[in-house]
Amino acid sequence: MSSKGLLFVVSAPSGTGKTTVAEQLVKIVPTLELSRSYTSRAPRANERDGVDYHFISREAFEARVAHDDFLEHADVFGNLYGTGRAETEARLASGRDLMLVIDVQGARQVRQKRPGTIGIFVLPPSFQVLEHRLRGRSQDAESAIQRRLATARSEVSAVAGYDYVVINDELDRAVAELRGIVLAERARRERRMDLVAPIVKTFQ
């Protein structure tokens, strides 16, 4: 395998289930890790600092932006989210593959800075299903739901800029498709030349 890890970015409209899919994936794929974003929003009741997100104040977040500490950052529904640059580079340098679950804005920034980044877009089965999922979460006011749905309409137009698309109509199937993408990318010839070259020499 390549000595440096692969970087995957996974994006999807809010409510699609991208985080759940990614969390299930890292449990079954060795040496694949999930990046934890920094955020300025307050943790929800079931969230833990350092596990779900790195929760920091808005002031601390803005200070990190000023010091160029983020690989990407974005304002999402009034809250700030970002991926730590140093942590990301260190984990990739160690040879472990890393998956970032970030929105379309952040994914665009990462892929501009790191052209080899592999983009995966997760779609819900339909707009109607997405709306049903958002309402089923019972944690947002109607105005917030409408804002998320409006954002989803614009985000879906970005799907053409991604390398792969997974439809999350059933969790196990979506996880299996994502696993196939990761394994296929790891098996690309140019990533395995350190293994391939010695074998080819035995035939000469």
Side-chain angles (χ1 to χ4, degrees):
M1 298 292 291
S2 172
S3 59
K4 193 164 187 180
L6 302 178
L7 184 60
F8 297 87
V9 293
V10 177
S11 303
S14 176
T16 300
K18 59 184 180 297
T19 302
T20 300
V21 171
E23 288 175 340
Q24 292 299 311
L25 180 68
V26 298
K27 293 178 181 179
I28 62 173
V29 178
T31 68
L32 176 67
E33 297 180 350
L34 190 60
S35 174
R36 296 301 180 188
S37 298
Y38 287 82
T39 182
S40 66
R41 75 164 172 78
R44 299 184 179 118
N46 61 336
E47 291 179 329
R48 292 175 293 166
D49 183 40
V51 176
D52 298 285
Y53 289 93
H54 298 294
F55 294 99
I56 61 176
S57 68
R58 193 175 190 92
E59 292 75 18
F61 193 106
E62 291 171 345
R64 285 177 176 265
V65 171
H67 285 92
D68 197 27
D69 289 343
F70 291 122
L71 180 62
E72 60 80 26
H73 62 89
D75 186 321
V76 183
F77 303 120
N79 295 305
L80 304 177
Y81 294 83
T83 301
R85 183 190 303 277
E87 301 100 305
T88 299
E89 296 299 341
R91 290 164 80 177
L92 292 173
S94 73
R96 301 182 72 82
D97 297 335
L98 191 59
M99 182 163 283
L100 311 183
V101 181
I102 54 181
D103 79 325
V104 169
Q105 300 175 64
R108 188 176 295 116
Q109 293 175 49
V110 173
R111 300 190 77 188
Q112 287 174 347
K113 295 174 182 176
R114 294 181 128 270
T117 299
I118 301 141
I120 306 168
F121 200 95
V122 181
L123 279 172
S126 68
F127 179 83
Q128 291 73 23
V129 169
L130 179 65
E131 182 175 8
H132 178 75
R133 289 177 181 175
L134 286 172
R135 294 187 182 284
R137 297 198 307 194
S138 301
Q139 63 184 29
D140 294 317
E142 179 62 25
S143 59
I145 291 174
Q146 291 301 324
R147 187 170 67 250
R148 292 180 187 276
L149 290 173
T151 300
R153 290 184 189 276
S154 63
E155 287 180 329
V156 165
S157 65
V159 70
Y162 286 71
D163 302 299
Y164 299 95
V165 179
V166 171
I167 299 172
N168 187 18
D169 56 348
E170 196 277 318
L171 179 60
D172 289 343
R173 181 164 51 243
V175 172
E177 286 189 19
L178 264 178
R179 177 178 180 271
I181 291 167
V182 171
L183 298 183
E185 284 293 332
R186 286 179 173 180
R188 291 178 69 91
R189 175 188 51 77
E190 61 269 25
R191 305 196 204 285
R192 310 195 94 186
M193 285 310 296
D194 55 338
L195 297 176
V196 171
I199 295 172
V200 171
K201 281 186 178 181
T202 68
F203 288 81
Q204 296 173 349

